[in-house]
Amino acid sequence: NPASPILQLSEAKVAYGQIEAVKGISLELFPGELVSLIGANGAGKTTTLNAVAGTLQLSAGSLRYLGEPIGALPAHKRLRAGIALVPEGRGIFTRLTVEENLRMGAYTRKDRAEIEADLQRVYDLLPRVKERLAQVAGTLSGGEQQMVAIGRALLSRPKLLLLDEPSMGLAPLIVEKIFEVIHTVMKQGVTVLLVEQNANLALGYSNRAYVMESGKITLTGSGQDLLHDPKVRSAYLGEV
Ligand code: ATP
């Protein structure tokens, strides 16, 4: 790849006290890619995303974003620099309206006209959300809440969007819609790092993927190659 990476983790470790959850992983994302991180429960995927977003710190190794070391930056500064996280469970403000939730995503910004333009773009991307702007977010379906969470993250104008299990707990039809939205966001130029249990769907949409097992990366390749890899099929796609 001729471009330089937007994100680069080298020999990165993350620990919770004595427990090392991420045990020295190296991965890189290039601008415009959709890359997924798949693997079983407890493999360290969420921990990795949180270390990139800055809600957790590395205990060893390095993290570079746009060529710069950012391991020492607090999460809000990473957000301002263009790294947005849609957390596991979505982190919606349930008592605020949909529109208030979306506007929260722009809280670090002062460019009012651009914020309004970005809101319109999010409405175009998410017509179901647009229909429900005045609704209290806690009364939305899980799928709609996931859409709001993605829309809110886009209001920060990310260069790198981190998505943690966007399909969690949702019906297959709405999951498919959410993946179409993620794909559109990538097509619009946002680099995406996606953590997913639904390996089948994630690999189908991803340019590349990394497989994590017990805190390590054990396999990497294109989405299509991994989708057809016998080890991946037996371990993560429920085949014998
Ligand atoms: P899941 O899909 O279940 O979130 P995951 O691959 O994202 O799985 P992590 O959530 O990153 O895995 O967890 C990796 C390891 O770190 C697990 O062994 C988990 O028990 C441990 N862990 C996660 N959070 C904490 C915490 N706050 N304190 C201690 N250990 C933790």
Side-chain angles (χ1 to χ4, degrees):
N1 198 318
S4 38
I6 183 166
L7 182 75
Q8 200 167 25
L9 273 171
S10 305
E11 303 295 330
K13 297 182 180 182
V14 189
Y16 300 99
Q18 300 296 316
I19 303 163
E20 197 166 81
V22 174
K23 301 172 182 169
I25 64 166
S26 298
L27 63 82
E28 43 188 19
L29 265 74
F30 293 92
E33 283 192 303
L34 197 176
V35 173
S36 57
L37 203 52
I38 62 169
N41 264 322
K45 307 180 300 295
T46 295
T47 303
T48 301
L49 272 200
N50 285 324
V52 173
T55 46
L56 289 172
Q57 304 302 313
L58 297 187
S59 52
S62 73
L63 170 61
R64 286 177 172 270
Y65 170 67
L66 296 170
E68 302 290 327
I70 59 159
L73 281 190
H76 70 273
K77 289 200 175 156
R78 297 189 200 186
L79 177 63
R80 203 166 297 167
I83 302 177
L85 170 68
V86 177
E88 201 168 346
R90 302 165 195 129
I92 286 292
F93 302 104
T94 54
R95 302 169 81 150
L96 300 186
T97 66
V98 168
E99 184 176 352
E100 286 164 343
N101 267 276
L102 292 174
R103 287 184 181 278
M104 282 288 193
Y107 81 96
T108 59
R109 300 173 54 185
K110 295 192 176 74
D111 47 341
R112 290 180 184 279
E114 304 259 324
I115 292 170
E116 297 309 313
D118 286 350
L119 262 178
Q120 293 304 321
R121 264 179 229 121
V122 166
Y123 297 160
D124 291 344
L125 177 71
L126 307 170
R128 284 175 64 137
V129 166
K130 187 185 178 183
E131 286 166 17
R132 292 164 185 277
L133 291 179
Q135 190 171 329
V136 171
T139 64
L140 295 174
S141 73
E144 290 161 352
Q145 289 190 15
Q146 185 64 53
M147 301 269 190
V148 171
I150 293 172
R152 184 180 58 189
L154 292 176
L155 259 298
S156 71
R157 255 203 199 184
K159 295 186 179 78
L160 174 61
L161 181 63
L162 310 171
L163 297 166
D164 199 353
E165 302 268 5
S167 77
M168 179 136 60
L170 304 180
L173 210 62
I174 187 85
V175 168
E176 195 76 49
K177 286 215 175 80
I178 284 165
F179 272 82
E180 283 167 15
V181 165
I182 295 167
H183 190 254
T184 304
V185 168
M186 179 272 277
K187 286 282 174 201
Q188 292 174 350
V190 179
T191 308
V192 181
L193 180 56
L194 171 70
V195 160
E196 254 302 329
Q197 292 271 339
N198 189 335
N200 209 3
L201 204 51
L203 292 175
Y205 277 92
S206 296
N207 302 117
R208 292 189 303 113
Y210 294 89
V211 178
M212 271 189 97
E213 279 173 54
S214 310
K216 294 189 171 152
I217 288 170
T218 52
L219 208 55
T220 182
S222 74
Q224 287 307 313
D225 285 352
L226 291 181
L227 203 48
H228 298 110
D229 185 295
K231 281 182 300 236
V232 173
R233 299 202 70 82
S234 67
Y236 304 109
L237 304 177
E239 294 189 3
V240 263

